[in-house]
Amino acid sequence: MRKILTADNSESFINEQVNESYHSFHGAVEEALKKYVIPCKIPALAKTGSVRILDVCFGLGYNSAMAVSAALEENPDCEIEVIGLEYDPEIIAKIQEVNPLLPFYPKYKKLTPTNLEFQEGKVKVKILLGDARETAKQLPEDYFDAVFFDPFSPKPAPEMWQVPLFKEMWRVMKKSAILSTYSCARMARDNMAEAGLLYDDGPILGRRGPGTIATKWEF
Ligand SMILES: C[S@@+](CC[C@H](N)C(=O)[O-])C[C@H]1O[C@@H](n2cnc3c(N)ncnc32)[C@H](O)[C@@H]1O
């Protein structure tokens, strides 16, 4: 893995096996905010007093660390639960090597390949280590308010954008939940629809095309 600096000065890595970066070159922290936290309405959820987030393909955890930071800014008393799905201990170890400007990120440094969970006040964070297509099956149904869906892109990682994993997302999402992802790939959207998710364009940020946001339309 090779470290890079993205356009907003936040660090990321290139995964040389898939020849893809872990974050947008246009800004890893900006991507977390604009592609995940805002479309999933995390500040509004924080006002309700509790937020449960599923961070699929947790990586360095930027997306959920941004969400926790934004939620606590909105409501410092909010109960927040983050479950991350990640299969690579090497990227979890790299959390120690990056310092994004996210108020809650220093707490994420408690996460290592051998310490996969922590609680800090009313914030609980836990990584399920393993293939997300399997670990997702352990999650309770009708549970999450927001799903951050951030695998490598459909070309090198088509297995992550198939109907069975989207069906698991559908199963664990509350009726009101929003799933957000950076990709607008046709295949991803068709498979979301087949899994019972209603998709729409998400925000545009740097990469070609918009992201995708999705909600449950079949209950
Ligand atoms: C685009 S990066 C995600 C970056 C991450 N959200 C962050 O903020 O750092 C994709 C991540 O998916 C993980 N991944 C790839 N295939 C996976 C699988 N089958 N199950 C779980 N994680 C997987 C990779 O190890 C990598 O960390």
Side-chain angles (χ1 to χ4, degrees):
M1 272 187 229
R2 184 162 53 86
K3 202 185 219 185
I4 57 163
L5 203 58
T6 68
D8 66 1
N9 276 327
S10 48
E11 300 141 302
S12 185
F13 290 90
I14 302 277
N15 182 306
E16 275 155 356
Q17 266 168 351
V18 292
N19 195 27
E20 203 164 273
S21 67
Y22 283 78
H23 303 94
S24 162
F25 294 119
H26 292 268
V29 162
E30 196 186 353
E31 180 180 44
L33 180 66
K34 296 194 176 158
K35 286 257 161 122
Y36 297 99
V37 173
I38 292 175
C40 287
K41 304 192 165 111
I42 297 299
L45 286 166
K47 282 191 190 153
T48 69
S50 102
V51 188
R52 292 180 187 149
I53 297 165
L54 180 61
D55 190 355
V56 181
C57 293
F58 185 89
L60 298 168
Y62 284 7
N63 297 337
S64 55
M66 170 62 87
V68 175
S69 305
L72 291 178
E73 190 181 332
E74 188 66 39
N75 176 5
D77 210 32
C78 188
E79 279 185 24
I80 305 170
E81 181 176 357
V82 174
I83 305 275
L85 307 182
E86 174 57 57
Y87 75 170
D88 184 4
E90 203 186 328
I91 191 69
I92 295 169
K94 297 277 184 209
I95 291 172
Q96 308 308 320
E97 297 180 24
V98 293
N99 294 292
L101 283 178
L102 295 171
F104 199 76
Y105 203 77
K107 311 289 186 216
Y108 268 44
K109 304 259 180 193
K110 293 180 185 169
L111 297 168
T112 68
T114 52
N115 182 44
L116 294 168
E117 59 186 297
F118 70 89
Q119 178 159 5
E120 177 74 27
K122 292 186 176 175
V123 182
K124 281 190 208 167
V125 180
K126 180 176 184 179
I127 300 172
L128 300 182
L129 193 63
D131 188 330
R133 293 169 295 170
E134 289 306 315
T135 52
K137 295 177 187 165
Q138 302 169 19
L139 299 169
E141 63 184 51
D142 192 20
Y143 192 77
F144 293 97
D145 299 294
V147 176
F148 301 162
F149 196 82
D150 194 14
F152 291 122
S153 63
K155 208 168 174 194
E159 72 282 1
M160 300 302 283
W161 303 87
Q162 301 300 321
V163 176
L165 185 53
F166 286 129
K167 279 193 172 161
E168 286 302 317
M169 300 299 103
W170 183 94
R171 185 182 66 76
V172 303
M173 286 164 71
K174 291 183 183 173
K175 281 185 182 176
S176 54
I178 298 174
L179 175 150
S180 187
T181 185
Y182 65 86
S183 175
C184 64
R186 179 78 270 148
M187 181 261 269
R189 289 182 165 190
D190 286 349
N191 289 341
M192 282 182 196
E194 200 175 326
L197 293 164
L198 181 67
Y199 63 80
D200 202 349
D201 282 351
I204 298 179
L205 173 74
R207 302 188 200 222
R208 277 169 290 164
T212 300
I213 51 172
T215 51
K216 290 170 83 156
W217 66 280
E218 285 175 355
F219 300 120

